[in-house]
């Protein structure tokens, strides 16, 4: 547990660990009263390690600490840390020495802003005029114009990251799907996700050792790929040592979702023609913002996180639920109107590791514990293809004679391509499994490890399950009365408001119509398909 993928991840770890350590010691807010004090602990000096001087480093770390100690109250999860965003290349297109000074000057001809001039037969780009359209690069026959694209912009497939007037990164939240790709790829750590670390620590403290209420940890199955040096059961034991009442595998929620997902697919596929999964909140948000007219094809089944949280709270009326996973978009999902109240807070795997080390929990020395017995299929929700395979498995077990032909999308780029094909009626498959992160959840932005080997680790953990029947994975939970459906508000269309009349208009006499026109009754709208799915998913009969 000592290695980190990069220094950005390490600095984030140090900040979260320091804040948590002081919380556990009871010094946060007492002897430690400011973010500056923690920043000085992390950056003692006298020599800088990653910036020009220790004062710059402390200023950035101080801003990071402040965001952990006192996070913003809004529901925006992905934010830019201005103090850290100042060393990325700012000139995207530059003419290199490869410029031959050709007679054609195609670069100059295609520039819509007249930003290119010819000096001594060489092209030069006036960066004050350049709008970074890239036409000059495309037109140059010698490929003499280089493109230096900011890592955050390159990482954002939906085009939500731009630069502001000060040439710092700026996020368009109307486009952002909170996938966290920019957070992961920014080499200076200038883009951060909202932290609930202190909120979770307070939740645990104020439970008075789980006597006032019970704090559950619902852990995503991708955890099996994050701590390769210890058994997954030891990680569960470590989480319980943090003060949680119980640790539950979110894969149990995956089994619940599989049953509901299969039922919805069978009931609606003939009418809809094609469907998408709804487990990945970033993918669902992408469809909502970019293909709103295709939202009727998105499954209305809740994600495994919401399913297991609702099941826990139905079973224990004193329950509070903290979800732990690799996903920054989950921090948005828990605040959405139709899902609010199911999950209290979200911690990422990066934050979890910080808490374990802050409390000096040695996972190697702990005895492994169980967090439930989901099916092998509930566990493979953590990697690309898992949801589709689970649905097909249930269809086979229940003898459903309906073709399920999925396309497995690993990363938002593949999701975009599949949705375009589907919207034009050219998709050969009938089920889009949408995963915004490459490799699926195991490659989530807030994972500790982003490697392809994570898939094999998930498969290995899946093989350790006691059953391969999803209907058996949630035994012990009474699903009667559990709402497994989402409400995307597709039928809640507001009527356009009439423009208020001005005084001048009110004063004018209104002309009477020459012919009386009787209002025809409005044609009845074609009702949208709505599942009458049972609230409970009973296990299949053996």
């Amino acid at each position: 547990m000592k290695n980190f993928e990069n220094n950005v991840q390490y600095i984030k770890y140090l900040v979260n660990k320091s804040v948590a350590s002081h919380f556990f010691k009871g010094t946060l807010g007492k002897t430690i009263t400011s973010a500056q004090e923690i920043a000085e602990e992390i950056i003692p000096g006298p020599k800088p390690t990653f910036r020009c001087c220790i004062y710059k480093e402390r200023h950035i770390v101080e801003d990071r600490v402040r965001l952990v100690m006192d996070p913003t109250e809004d529901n925006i999860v992905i934010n830019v840390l201005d103090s850290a965003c100042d060393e990325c290349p700012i000139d995207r297109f530059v003419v290199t020495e490869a410029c031959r000074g050709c007679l054609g000057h195609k670069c100059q001809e295609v520039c819509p802003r007249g930003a290119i001039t010819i000096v001594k037969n060489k092209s030069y780009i006036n960066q004050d005029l350049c709008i970074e359209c890239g036409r000059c690069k495309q037109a140059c026959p010698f490929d003499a114009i280089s493109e230096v694209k900011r890592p955050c912009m390159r990482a954002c497939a939906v085009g939500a990251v731009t630069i502001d007037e000060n040439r710092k990164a700026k996020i368009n939240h109307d486009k952002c799907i909170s996938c966290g790709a920019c957070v992961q790829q920014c080499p200076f750590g200038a883009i951060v996700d909202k932290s609930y670390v202190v909120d979770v620590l307070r939740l645990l403290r104020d439970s008075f050792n789980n006597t006032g209420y019970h704090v559950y940890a619902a852990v995503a199955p991708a955890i099996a790929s994050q701590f390769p040096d210890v058994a997954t059961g030891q990680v569960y034991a470590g989480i319980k040592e943090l003060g949680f009442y119980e640790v539950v595998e979110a894969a149990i929620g995956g089994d619940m979702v599989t049953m509901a997902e299969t039922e919805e697919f069978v009931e609606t596929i003939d009418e809809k023609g094609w469907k998408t999964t709804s487990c990945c909140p970033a993918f669902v948000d992408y469809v909502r913002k970019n293909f709103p007219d295709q939202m009727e094809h998105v499954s209305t089944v809740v994600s495994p996180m919401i399913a297991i949280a609702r099941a826990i709270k139905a079973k224990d009326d004193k329950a509070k639920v903290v979800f732990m996973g690799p996903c920054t978009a989950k921090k948005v999902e828990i605040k959405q109107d139709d899902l609010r109240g199911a999950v209290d807070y979200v911690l990422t795997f990066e934050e979890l590791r910080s808490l374990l080390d802050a409390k000096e929990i040695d996972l190697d020395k702990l005895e492994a514990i169980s967090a439930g017995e989901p099916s092998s299929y509930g566990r493979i929700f953590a990697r690309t293809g898992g949801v589709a395979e689970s649905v097909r498995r249930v269809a086979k077990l229940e003898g459903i004679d309906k073709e399920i032909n999925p396309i497995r999308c690993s990363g938002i780029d593949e999701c975009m391509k599949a949705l375009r094909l589907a919207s034009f009626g050219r998709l050969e498959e009938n089920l889009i499994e949408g995963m915004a992160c490459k490799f699926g959840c195991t490659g989530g932005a807030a994972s500790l490890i982003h490697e392809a080997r994570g898939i094999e680790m998930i498969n290995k953990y899946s093989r350790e399950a006691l059953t391969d029947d999803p209907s058996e994975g949630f035994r012990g939970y009474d699903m009667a009365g559990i709402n497994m459906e989402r409400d995307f508000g597709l039928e809640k269309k507001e009527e356009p408001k009439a423009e208020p009349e001005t005084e001048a208009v009110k004063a004018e006499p209104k002309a009477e119509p020459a012919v009386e026109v009787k209002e025809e009754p409005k044609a009845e709208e074609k009702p949208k398909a709505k599942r009458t799915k049972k609230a409970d998913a009973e296990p299949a009969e053996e």
Side-chain angles (χ1 to χ4, degrees):
M1 289 182 59
K2 303 302 179 184
N3 297 323
F4 294 86
E5 288 187 329
N6 51 61
N7 285 333
V8 170
Q9 193 180 66
Y10 180 58
I11 292 296
K12 290 165 66 177
Y13 162 82
L14 288 178
V15 168
N16 286 319
K17 180 186 173 185
S18 296
V19 171
S21 293
H22 282 292
F23 189 97
F24 288 132
K25 294 174 184 176
T27 54
L28 192 67
K30 295 179 181 179
T31 58
I32 298 296
T33 58
S34 70
Q36 181 181 355
E37 293 170 295
I38 295 180
E40 290 176 355
E41 287 182 0
I42 296 175
I43 309 294
K47 293 183 178 180
T49 56
F50 61 92
R51 291 286 184 165
C52 59
C53 63
I54 61 170
Y55 305 106
K56 176 70 171 177
E57 292 180 348
R58 286 175 180 171
H59 176 55
I60 295 172
V61 171
E62 184 180 341
D63 284 347
R64 292 185 184 281
V65 174
R66 191 176 293 109
L67 287 175
V68 175
M69 292 176 61
D70 188 23
T72 56
E73 294 183 359
D74 57 40
N75 293 333
I76 295 175
V77 168
I78 308 299
N79 296 281
V80 177
L81 194 67
D82 283 344
S83 59
C85 183
D86 65 355
E87 292 192 20
C88 283
I90 57 177
D91 296 336
R92 181 173 173 183
F93 294 99
V94 179
V95 179
T96 69
E97 292 299 319
C99 178
R100 304 299 297 164
C102 61
L103 183 63
H105 296 162
K106 291 184 178 180
C107 57
Q108 187 180 43
E109 295 296 330
V110 299
C111 180
R113 294 295 299 273
I116 298 180
T117 56
I118 310 299
V119 180
K120 295 183 179 179
N121 294 328
K122 299 285 186 179
S123 296
Y124 291 90
I125 299 176
N126 183 337
Q127 299 298 337
D128 292 332
L129 298 177
C130 179
I131 59 173
E132 300 185 350
C133 65
R135 295 181 187 178
C136 56
K137 178 176 174 59
Q138 297 171 4
C140 180
F142 292 102
D143 197 22
I145 299 178
S146 66
E147 180 180 6
V148 183
K149 196 172 184 179
R150 288 175 177 238
C152 55
M153 294 176 68
R154 185 184 300 113
C156 185
V158 300
V161 182
T162 57
I163 55 174
D164 63 14
E165 62 276 6
N166 296 316
R167 297 211 164 185
K168 289 184 179 290
K170 179 181 178 181
I171 298 175
N172 182 342
H173 292 287
D174 290 333
K175 292 183 177 181
C176 179
I177 58 175
S178 303
C179 65
C182 55
V183 177
Q184 179 189 346
Q185 294 299 328
C186 177
F188 292 101
I191 304 181
V192 296
D193 56 300
K194 183 175 182 177
S195 172
Y196 290 113
V197 165
V198 174
D199 295 283
V200 171
L201 293 175
R202 287 173 179 158
L203 187 71
L204 290 168
R205 179 197 63 192
D206 297 344
S207 73
F208 297 103
N209 292 322
N210 291 290
T211 57
Y213 48 81
H214 302 151
V215 186
Y216 288 78
V219 187
I223 192 71
S225 65
Q226 298 300 295
F227 295 85
D229 298 330
V230 296
T232 302
Q234 289 177 296
V235 181
Y236 295 148
I239 294 172
K240 194 161 186 180
E241 286 288 314
L242 288 172
F244 286 89
Y245 179 75
E246 200 67 69
V247 183
V248 181
E249 286 196 51
I252 296 171
D255 285 326
M256 298 173 183
V257 168
T258 299
M259 302 301 295
E261 193 86 63
T262 306
E263 184 177 351
E264 177 182 329
F265 182 90
V266 171
E267 291 180 358
T268 62
I269 190 61
D270 289 339
E271 177 189 354
K272 301 298 182 182
W274 57 276
K275 297 283 293 183
T276 84
T277 58
S278 57
C279 299
C280 174
F283 169 74
V284 173
D285 210 18
Y286 174 75
V287 181
R288 192 201 308 268
K289 291 180 176 181
N290 295 274
F291 293 88
D293 56 330
Q294 305 298 332
M295 280 298 294
E296 63 176 348
H297 295 278
V298 178
S299 167
T300 60
V301 178
V302 299
S303 69
M305 175 186 75
I306 300 298
I308 190 60
R310 286 178 173 173
I312 289 171
K313 290 190 173 181
K315 190 175 183 180
D316 183 353
D317 59 6
K318 296 176 67 177
K320 303 286 185 182
V321 179
V322 175
F323 177 77
M324 298 179 182
C327 180
T328 55
K330 288 294 183 185
K331 296 181 179 182
V332 175
E333 184 180 8
I334 65 171
K335 297 292 186 180
Q336 292 173 344
D337 291 340
D338 61 323
L339 305 175
R340 195 184 303 272
V343 177
D344 294 275
Y345 297 109
V346 169
L347 284 180
T348 64
F349 288 151
E350 290 179 329
E351 293 165 341
L352 170 61
R353 176 176 176 176
S354 300
L355 297 189
L356 292 170
D357 287 357
K359 202 166 185 182
E360 299 180 353
I361 297 173
D362 189 347
L363 299 181
D364 286 314
K365 296 180 180 179
L366 298 180
E367 184 177 348
I369 65 171
S370 171
E373 295 296 343
S375 77
S376 57
Y377 285 87
R379 287 175 173 173
I380 62 172
F381 266 57
R383 50 96 169 151
T384 301
V387 183
E389 290 172 34
S390 300
V391 170
R392 295 184 75 176
R393 173 62 176 168
V394 169
K396 181 178 180 180
L397 289 173
E398 297 194 350
I400 295 173
D401 186 20
K402 185 77 72 171
E403 182 186 20
I404 302 176
N405 181 22
I407 178 171
R408 303 163 179 84
C409 301
S410 177
I412 199 65
D413 289 326
E414 293 186 10
C415 295
M416 293 164 66
K417 181 179 178 181
L419 285 166
R420 289 194 192 102
L421 289 173
S423 64
F424 287 114
R426 296 173 58 189
L427 186 70
E428 296 180 358
E429 297 82 0
N430 63 1
L431 175 62
I432 298 176
E433 184 197 86
M435 294 278 196
C437 295
K438 190 176 181 181
F439 309 134
C441 298
T442 185
S447 293
L448 296 167
I449 300 172
H450 301 86
E451 298 178 6
R453 65 174 177 144
I455 292 178
E456 180 50 42
M457 296 171 73
I458 295 299
N459 289 338
K460 180 177 181 295
Y461 187 53
S462 170
R463 291 192 291 269
E464 295 172 5
L466 299 181
T467 178
D468 63 356
D469 185 348
S471 68
E472 296 180 358
F474 50 89
R475 288 189 173 182
Y477 291 91
D478 181 8
M479 296 305 295
I482 301 299
N483 182 8
M484 289 292 292
E485 294 191 14
R486 292 211 57 175
D487 177 12
F488 292 122
L490 299 180
E491 297 178 3
K492 298 176 182 178
K493 296 181 180 179
E494 295 184 0
E495 293 295 328
K497 295 180 180 180
E499 293 293 330
E501 293 181 321
T502 63
E503 293 298 323
V505 171
K506 290 179 180 178
E508 291 180 3
K510 295 184 179 180
E512 294 294 329
V515 180
E516 183 180 357
V517 179
K518 293 183 179 180
E519 185 178 351
E520 294 291 334
K522 293 182 179 179
E524 194 173 285
E525 291 184 359
K526 183 180 178 181
K528 294 182 179 293
K530 187 173 182 179
R531 277 189 301 132
T532 55
K533 185 180 67 60
K534 297 177 182 178
D536 56 336
E538 293 294 336
E541 295 182 2
E542 295 183 357

